[in-house]
Amino acid sequence: MNFDAIEPADVTLGFHRDGERVGSIYNDDGTGRTMARVTTAGDSPDFIGVEVPKEFVEEVLDAATEAGRVTDEAAANGYRIRVL
């Protein structure tokens, strides 16, 4: 997935490209599972959902923060505390 910004929220990281949401990583209903949801392109978009390790999520968030692609660093820190 290509993205140019990550928008952190309470327990979700929203991935955006050209102002459109193209996917997300979220905590699955308060369980220990962390899921990624990727929106597919096309006239009738669908999505693919997979479980991802929290270590992977942390690496993605760290890299996006270092690259200046996180929309709100304070919200990202809150996400780290609640989810990671």
Side-chain angles (χ1 to χ4, degrees), residues 1-3 7 9 13 15-16 21 25 28 32 36-39 41 53 57 62 66 68 70 75 82:
M1 162 184 21
N2 293 324
F3 65 92
E7 181 179 17
L13 296 177
F15 291 82
H16 296 264
R21 189 173 182 141
I25 292 179
D28 190 27
R37 178 179 173 143
V38 180
T39 305
V57 178
D62 287 345
E66 289 174 17
V70 174
R82 285 183 288 284

Side-chain angles (χ1 to χ4, degrees), residues 5-9 13 61 65 68-79:
I6 290 180
E7 181 179 17
L13 296 177
L61 187 54
T65 300
R69 293 182 180 226
V70 174
T71 61
D72 183 338
E73 288 193 32
N77 289 334
Y79 176 88

Side-chain angles (χ1 to χ4, degrees), residues 5-84:
I6 290 180
E7 181 179 17
D10 193 31
V11 293
T12 304
L13 296 177
F15 291 82
H16 296 264
R17 181 178 59 234
D18 299 327
E20 290 189 43
R21 189 173 182 141
V22 293
S24 61
I25 292 179
Y26 58 95
N27 182 260
D28 190 27
D29 299 326
T31 67
R33 295 187 321 166
T34 304
M35 302 293 291
R37 178 179 173 143
V38 180
T39 305
T40 61
D43 291 334
S44 54
D46 202 354
F47 71 92
I48 301 165
V50 296
E51 186 172 357
V52 293
K54 290 184 181 189
E55 295 81 16
F56 170 78
V57 178
E58 189 167 20
E59 288 179 21
V60 169
L61 187 54
D62 287 345
T65 300
E66 289 174 17
R69 293 182 180 226
V70 174
T71 61
D72 183 338
E73 288 193 32
N77 289 334
Y79 176 88
R80 288 177 196 279
I81 290 168
R82 285 183 288 284
V83 177
L84 301 177

